[in-house]
Amino acid sequence: MSRGGGKGLSLKDKLDGNELDLSLCDLNEVPVRELAALPKATILDLSCNNLISLPSDFCSLMHLVKLDLSKNRLQQLPLDFGRLVNLQHLDLLNNRLVTLPVSFAQLKNLKWLDLKDNPLDPVLAKVAGDCLDEKQCKQAAVKVLQHMRAIQSEQDRQRQRKLQAEREMEKKREAEQRAKEAQEREVRKREKAEEKERRRREYDAQKAAKQEMEKKTKKETVQTRKPASGSRPAQPPRHKHSWSRSVLRVLLFVLFCVLCTLAACKLTELQRQPLCVSVNTLYEDVLAALQNHKTLQNMLQQNSQQ
């Protein structure tokens, strides 16, 4: 690593015991990978460089006990800076820091802190105070840790309140959803009951209509059968009467013919014809029979009177 980038620089050559001095190296980035390979370097001096920010993996150097970042151009520290839980001494003099990450409260072993010459937030600046001697720097570490823990607690409480509000909102949504589902079930149940009742009424109506139709058909059948059975005795007389008329007409026609023939055989010159002779003979025989029949009737009548 060159002076600008750090390549070509041997960290082992700069390691003195457990102290690694990288100050005044014109660094604009931290060689985290090389530092991670030297876990015994618990004291690290990165002061008087051109560091604008620290990479997030810088917080993996959890073996650091003392860290000097003074006189750089740091505008902020990584959000998980609190992972450096073994850190006891931290020098941030003359940077461009305004606030500290909330995780700073996790530096439970921090005993010395210098935040002078930073454009700190007024509240944080008042809490940190001056670091003009050992005592003030130690007090600054204690007060800043307390302040950051208070901020962390407040944020935790806000987060808890937010989570609680979200849970309550979720419960409310679930309750509303359950109520909505219950209402929908009730609506579906009512609609199903109404549909069932409607179908039952339709079934009853169809059944009643069918029964009424069967009753009407049966009644019509009975009414149709009664006239048929009543007309049967009357039909033969009508037929008989019609047949009798036909026979009577035939007899009258035959009698007319006979009379005409008889008249012709009696009154005309045809009486000498063989046919007329037979007719006249038959006529006389019939008259004789009728007379005998009349005489017989008189005799029978007299016998009945005696």
Side-chain angles (χ1 to χ4, degrees):
M1 185 168 63
S2 65
R3 293 182 64 83
K7 290 184 179 180
L9 179 63
S10 177
L11 299 186
K12 290 184 179 180
D13 295 339
K14 290 184 171 290
L15 183 62
D16 183 11
N18 64 342
E19 183 175 352
L20 181 61
D21 187 0
L22 297 179
S23 62
L24 299 170
C25 291
D26 198 22
L27 298 176
N28 49 33
E29 61 182 21
V30 180
V32 177
R33 184 175 299 178
E34 291 81 354
L35 292 173
L38 299 173
K40 66 178 183 178
T42 58
I43 299 175
L44 177 61
D45 188 353
L46 290 170
S47 62
C48 301
N49 282 292
N50 298 317
L51 301 177
I52 297 176
S53 63
L54 299 177
S56 59
D57 57 351
F58 180 85
C59 301
S60 64
L61 304 176
M62 299 175 60
H63 58 277
L64 294 177
V65 175
K66 183 176 181 180
L67 177 61
D68 190 349
L69 292 169
S70 62
K71 297 180 182 179
N72 279 281
R73 294 184 292 169
L74 295 173
Q75 298 179 3
Q76 61 183 8
L77 298 178
L79 294 178
D80 56 348
F81 192 80
R83 290 176 59 191
L84 302 175
V85 292
N86 293 313
L87 199 60
Q88 299 180 12
H89 185 108
L90 177 59
D91 193 344
L92 293 170
L93 171 71
N94 195 11
N95 277 279
R96 298 178 182 179
L97 298 172
V98 177
T99 61
L100 297 174
V102 178
S103 65
F104 198 91
Q106 299 173 12
L107 301 176
K108 57 183 179 179
N109 293 314
L110 189 65
K111 297 178 174 58
W112 194 97
L113 176 63
D114 189 356
L115 287 172
K116 290 193 310 297
D117 298 331
N118 280 281
L120 296 174
D121 176 80
V123 176
L124 180 58
K126 184 178 180 180
V127 171
D130 293 328
C131 183
L132 301 177
D133 53 31
E134 188 74 12
K135 182 178 179 181
Q136 288 182 344
C137 292
K138 289 183 178 180
Q139 289 179 350
V142 173
K143 291 181 179 180
V144 169
L145 283 178
Q146 290 176 349
H147 176 69
M148 298 309 297
R149 287 168 183 165
I151 292 176
Q152 186 181 45
S153 299
E154 181 60 26
Q155 288 187 356
D156 290 342
R157 284 192 294 270
Q158 290 179 0
R159 187 162 47 251
Q160 289 296 327
R161 286 195 294 268
K162 184 178 179 181
L163 289 174
Q164 184 66 24
E166 290 177 354
R167 292 194 194 97
E168 291 178 357
M169 184 63 67
E170 182 65 23
K171 289 181 180 179
K172 184 178 180 181
R173 283 195 296 266
E174 291 177 355
E176 291 176 352
Q177 183 65 24
R178 287 195 297 270
K180 184 179 179 181
E181 291 175 354
Q183 186 177 5
E184 290 176 353
R185 286 195 300 270
E186 186 64 25
V187 170
R188 287 195 298 270
K189 184 178 179 181
R190 185 168 60 252
E191 290 177 351
K192 186 176 180 181
E194 292 175 355
E195 177 66 15
K196 185 176 181 181
E197 180 63 20
R198 183 185 66 80
R199 292 174 62 184
R200 188 187 65 79
R201 289 197 299 267
E202 289 180 355
Y203 174 78
D204 292 343
Q206 291 176 359
K207 186 176 180 181
K210 184 177 180 181
Q211 290 177 352
E212 184 66 22
M213 182 63 69
E214 291 176 353
K215 185 177 180 181
K216 185 177 179 180
T217 304
K218 186 176 180 181
K219 184 176 180 181
E220 289 177 354
T221 303
V222 172
Q223 290 178 352
T224 304
R225 288 178 179 177
K226 282 183 179 180
S229 61
S231 62
R232 284 174 186 173
Q235 282 179 359
R238 285 200 298 269
H239 179 69
K240 187 175 180 181
H241 184 67
S242 178
W243 182 78
S244 299
R245 285 184 178 181
S246 299
V247 173
L248 182 59
R249 288 176 183 176
V250 172
L251 291 176
L252 289 175
F253 177 74
V254 172
L255 182 59
F256 177 75
C257 292
V258 171
L259 290 176
C260 289
T261 303
L262 185 61
C265 290
K266 287 288 187 180
L267 300 176
T268 64
E269 295 179 354
L270 296 174
Q271 59 184 346
R272 295 185 181 90
Q273 295 294 327
L275 179 62
C276 288
V277 172
S278 299
V279 170
N280 291 329
T281 302
L282 181 61
Y283 174 70
E284 291 175 355
D285 291 340
V286 170
L287 286 177
L290 290 174
Q291 289 177 356
N292 292 333
H293 181 65
K294 186 175 181 181
T295 303
L296 181 60
Q297 286 181 350
N298 292 330
M299 292 174 63
L300 290 173
Q301 186 176 4
Q302 290 176 0
N303 291 331
S304 63
Q305 290 178 357
Q306 291 176 0

